[in-house]
Amino acid sequence: MNHGSVARDPALVREMFDRLSRRYDLANHLLSAGSDVLWRRRSATLLAQRSPACVLDLATGTGDLALALSRAMPRAEIVGADFSEEMLAMARRKGLSRTVVADALHLPFAAQSFDAVTIGFGLRNMSDWSAALREMRRVLTSHGHLLVLDFSLPQGRFLRSAYRFYLHRLLPPLSGFISGQAAAYQYLGASIEDFPAGEAMCRLMNENGFANATAEPLTGGISTIYLAQVQPRP
């Protein structure tokens, strides 16, 4: 399926998130029944085990993952980057002190600037997943790690069917009521269908500068954490 490829135009995606910024957190928490908070907390716990000193949280949005990282690693330097200034303004109001307006495909950072890069629910929206991964690899140190948290489709047939019904039939009208942006959540369903998951996502990471990629499904596979380390250059 290729439902999301046309909609991943950067200008359209930026405009969509600018419009969503004020109701984004409320919609996420309600529509996931609070699971998104647990997913970010688990991601932060996993990364804290690697003890990075400096972390770049890409597509940081309103800063929820970056703030979870700060709580899990109070001594680490956390930088939040996003191409939506409206979303970053919300992140700063919530306490994220270091933010940078940046395009993930052309990051304004020198090579080997960070010990870890995280991206929660953002890689799926980028126009070129492979190019984005290579750019993340560029800014990581030789011992660095990448953590990707994103939506996926459950593996079980019954759960997958039920989730697809929710995703495509129930979510757009519900989210439209909460956020006033039903079209954004129609895009969400299409983008999840389009996005590589599980072994396919691990292969994509391993083919673009990373090694030993692993996948940890959460909540029956509704979301997945991918963790990989930098592949040494030959």
Side-chain angles (χ1 to χ4, degrees):
M1 295 185 181
N2 197 31
H3 303 284
S5 57
V6 174
R8 290 202 315 271
D9 175 85
L12 296 178
V13 172
R14 182 187 295 109
E15 181 183 354
M16 178 178 67
F17 281 106
D18 282 344
R19 292 196 307 268
L20 277 172
S21 59
R22 293 187 180 277
R23 293 291 185 92
Y24 183 76
D25 289 344
L26 176 63
N28 282 351
H29 300 333
L30 288 177
L31 296 170
S32 72
S35 295
D36 63 311
V37 176
L38 301 178
W39 300 336
R40 292 184 180 92
R41 188 179 302 163
R42 173 60 179 163
S43 299
T45 298
L46 283 175
L47 193 65
Q49 295 170 2
R50 277 74 186 172
S51 302
C54 189
V55 181
L56 172 63
D57 183 44
L58 277 179
T60 197
T62 61
D64 276 354
L65 180 54
L67 293 168
L69 293 167
S70 296
R71 289 189 290 270
M73 300 177 288
R75 295 185 179 180
E77 180 182 2
I78 312 295
V79 179
D82 202 288
F83 69 172
S84 168
E85 296 191 35
E86 296 293 330
M87 297 287 269
L88 286 179
M90 297 297 293
R92 288 191 291 271
R93 291 189 194 109
K94 290 162 62 176
L96 184 59
S97 57
R98 290 205 60 189
T99 63
V100 178
V101 178
D103 179 347
L105 296 180
H106 305 283
L107 293 171
F109 306 109
Q112 301 191 50
S113 295
F114 298 94
D115 300 311
V117 170
T118 60
I119 180 164
F121 309 107
L123 180 59
R124 173 174 40 84
N125 299 317
M126 293 177 185
S127 60
D128 188 329
W129 303 320
S130 294
L133 288 168
R134 291 192 296 270
E135 183 68 349
M136 294 175 209
R137 166 65 181 87
R138 183 186 69 80
V139 301
L140 279 165
T141 60
S142 58
H143 58 275
H145 289 85
L146 169 65
L147 184 146
V148 176
L149 168 64
D150 219 311
F151 290 113
S152 47
L153 292 172
Q155 293 302 305
R157 181 178 297 179
F158 175 77
L159 184 56
R160 178 175 287 213
S161 296
Y163 181 62
R164 276 181 162 149
F165 180 80
Y166 171 74
L167 195 62
H168 298 293
R169 300 295 182 89
L170 300 181
L171 185 63
L174 284 172
S175 59
F177 176 76
I178 295 168
S179 69
Q181 301 292 331
Y185 289 87
Q186 290 172 340
Y187 160 79
L188 173 65
S191 70
I192 293 171
E193 295 277 6
D194 195 37
F195 194 57
E199 292 182 6
M201 186 65 214
C202 290
R203 283 197 302 273
L204 187 67
M205 296 168 77
N206 289 337
E207 290 167 359
N208 287 283
F210 295 92
N212 304 319
T214 60
E216 179 180 317
L218 303 172
T219 318
I222 290 173
S223 71
T224 303
I225 297 171
Y226 304 94
L227 190 60
Q229 63 193 62
V230 164
Q231 186 177 64
R233 298 190 188 280

